[in-house]
Amino acid sequence: MPINQYVRKYVIMNLGGAIHLNKKFCLVIFIILVLYLYLSSFGSRDENDFTKQTQNKVNLKNLLHMAVIAAENGGNEVKNNINSNKIESKGKTKEGADDKVTTADYKSHCIMQGTIKKLYHDIKLISEEFKTNCEGIDLPSEFPSIPREIDALNDSWVKDSDITVWIDPLDATQEYTEKMYEFVTTMVCVAVNGKPVIGIVHKPFLKETYWGWVGTSKSPNLQVKERSDDELIFIVSRSHTGKVKEMINTKLSEIKNKIVEAGGAGYKVLEVIKGNADVYFHTTAIKKWDICAGNALLFSVGGNMTTLKDELIDYGDTENAVNTNGLVATLKKYLNLKKLLI
Ligand SMILES: *[C@@H]1O[C@H](CO)[C@@H](O)[C@H](O)[C@H]1NC(C)=O
Ligand SMILES: *[C@@H]1O[C@H](CO)[C@@H](O)[C@H](O)[C@H]1NC(C)=O
């Protein structure tokens, strides 16, 4: 579907944004609407609020769709640049490893941000590569049409000032530079009043997209499988290992456990949901764009994600993009485990 059709389809619902499309047409519609609302207000007070409600409001269903497209557009950049990457270091992590960034991180950022901002220019958006200059970056001229399972969802309007979008244009950059492509994801997260509500994790090299809308729906491929073994599998970071192994071995010594190392926060959350691991465990600082989408996926399947102090993470607090208190992410079954860890 051409982009203009999208703009018409989505922005027409937002009376403020539609006027630049065709002023006369919108004016006529507006006058009819006002007349209609005025007349019908004698019968119903609720409908009288319609105009007020759609002003500065975002339909989460449409934002979900655009967020899926953004993640997939970013994923295409990630795939297309495997041979033309310039690898740089942004500095050192706390553990002393290089914090790498590649051409693909920047390009994916610009495409993902551009895709969201195309229709939602007033939304607050935070990205790992927010400092990138995106001038001259072209969006794809065609966007895919809305998948049936998203189209079937109900509209849900939210004030745009309550929304924060978090973008990770390339999660597991270290593994990407080592050609361990299975760990690589692109992620978009929509937080409403600080709570993760919509999460998208896209695996570009496997052509898989997982999404969850908390309390509403999820992608058909996001299937929970709980493990039944008596041994607990912890999935931990390859590159930011920190004190994690030591902590598991001292605090959980009486529980039979196994530690699996993997790259990427998005990847690790999916492993927990798919039943390939029980607990995603992290003891050091982690950025909110790394974890917001996975947090929404976990919430949408009844799991949980907290810091090691048992706090939920506030994604409305954009001044602090770093969660410094570690991470425990599990399905419901393992929530009691936190008591042992904290
Ligand atoms: C949409 O809303 C209606 C009315 O509240 C409800 O019955 C229906 O199940 C909802 N559909 C979806 C897909 O959530
Ligand atoms: C997740 O953990 C927090 C902190 O313990 C708790 O307040 C919340 O109810 C939990 N959510 C679910 C769905 O279990």
Side-chain angles (χ1 to χ4, degrees):
M1 201 190 286
I3 289 180
N4 279 347
Q5 241 169 293
Y6 261 82
V7 175
R8 216 168 300 134
K9 184 167 173 208
Y10 287 169
V11 180
I12 206 89
M13 297 178 198
N14 177 339
L15 294 172
I19 286 170
H20 71 275
L21 289 176
N22 183 330
K23 282 192 183 141
K24 270 189 204 153
F25 173 74
C26 289
L27 198 63
V28 170
I29 294 286
F30 185 72
I31 289 166
I32 291 172
L33 193 65
V34 168
L35 265 174
Y36 170 77
L37 289 173
Y38 175 74
L39 292 173
S40 62
S41 69
F42 296 110
S44 152
R45 285 244 146 251
D46 284 352
E47 288 190 38
N48 204 11
D49 290 335
F50 178 79
T51 318
K52 248 186 280 163
Q53 277 176 13
T54 49
Q55 287 284 353
N56 305 317
K57 291 229 169 179
V58 167
N59 187 348
L60 288 182
K61 167 182 158 175
N62 297 336
L63 182 54
L64 162 64
H65 180 209
M66 291 313 290
V68 167
I69 294 172
E72 292 178 352
N73 284 347
N76 288 336
E77 293 300 318
V78 169
K79 269 194 301 194
N80 293 342
N81 283 285
I82 50 171
N83 294 320
S84 57
N85 267 319
K86 227 175 88 200
I87 303 169
E88 298 165 11
S89 175
K90 284 192 283 191
K92 299 272 183 202
T93 68
K94 283 212 179 103
E95 291 80 17
D98 266 329
D99 195 5
K100 286 185 181 159
V101 61
T102 68
T103 315
D105 289 79
Y106 297 132
K107 287 196 172 168
S108 175
H109 157 80
C110 289
I111 292 288
M112 289 177 76
Q113 175 176 266
T115 305
I116 302 279
K117 288 276 178 179
K118 173 98 186 156
L119 301 193
Y120 304 103
H121 28 84
D122 294 333
I123 267 182
K124 199 191 302 162
L125 183 148
I126 320 278
S127 164
E128 175 161 21
E129 306 307 334
F130 64 93
K131 289 180 190 145
T132 314
N133 177 2
C134 293
E135 265 171 53
I137 292 270
D138 289 325
L139 291 179
S141 58
E142 299 253 322
F143 285 170
S145 37
I146 189 161
R148 210 171 337 126
E149 58 272 18
I150 295 180
D151 205 22
L153 300 174
N154 286 329
D155 293 336
S156 172
W157 298 91
V158 167
K159 243 200 308 180
D160 61 4
S161 55
D162 290 342
I163 295 178
T164 313
V165 173
W166 294 85
I167 282 183
D168 192 334
L170 203 177
D171 188 32
T173 302
Q174 173 65 36
E175 286 71 23
Y176 179 65
T177 62
E178 294 174 42
K179 303 199 187 303
M180 300 168 80
Y181 295 132
E182 70 274 21
F183 295 130
V184 172
T185 62
T186 60
M187 296 189 280
V188 183
C189 180
V190 178
V192 179
N193 294 320
K195 296 189 182 67
V197 168
I198 290 174
I200 293 101
V201 178
H202 172 60
K203 291 186 173 176
F205 295 95
L206 299 172
K207 292 203 178 87
E208 292 169 355
T209 305
Y210 300 86
W211 58 262
W213 180 356
V214 181
T216 304
S217 192
K218 61 188 179 61
S219 57
N221 59 354
L222 192 69
Q223 295 291 337
V224 173
K225 233 172 85 198
E226 295 199 6
R227 284 170 21 82
S228 53
D229 290 352
D230 55 0
E231 172 191 64
L232 277 188
I233 298 183
F234 288 89
I235 191 160
V236 306
S237 174
R238 281 182 74 240
S239 45
H240 308 66
T241 308
K243 302 177 297 182
V244 68
K245 287 185 180 173
E246 187 191 317
M247 195 158 173
I248 291 170
N249 287 329
T250 49
K251 294 212 175 191
L252 298 168
S253 55
E254 71 273 34
I255 297 176
K256 209 173 143 203
N257 69 67
K258 188 171 132 189
I259 299 172
V260 173
E261 292 185 10
Y267 177 90
K268 292 191 201 75
V269 166
L270 284 174
E271 288 297 286
V272 169
I273 292 174
K274 290 172 172 180
N276 296 328
D278 298 302
V279 187
Y280 168 21
F281 192 55
H282 192 92
T283 53
T284 51
I286 189 161
K287 306 282 183 17
K288 289 179 184 171
W289 46 70
D290 284 326
I291 55 178
C292 184
N295 198 340
L297 290 191
L298 271 169
F299 276 179
S300 73
V301 298
N304 211 341
M305 181 184 277
T306 62
T307 68
L308 298 186
K309 293 184 173 168
D310 199 28
E311 309 145 326
L312 292 167
I313 295 138
D314 177 6
Y315 299 97
D317 177 8
T318 54
E319 295 292 308
N320 299 302
V322 185
N323 164 42
T324 49
N325 293 328
L327 206 64
V328 186
T330 65
L331 292 174
K332 221 177 204 144
K333 192 175 160 188
Y334 301 107
L335 292 180
N336 284 339
L337 199 114
K338 280 190 303 201
K339 293 200 188 82
L340 293 170
L341 288 166
I342 294 154

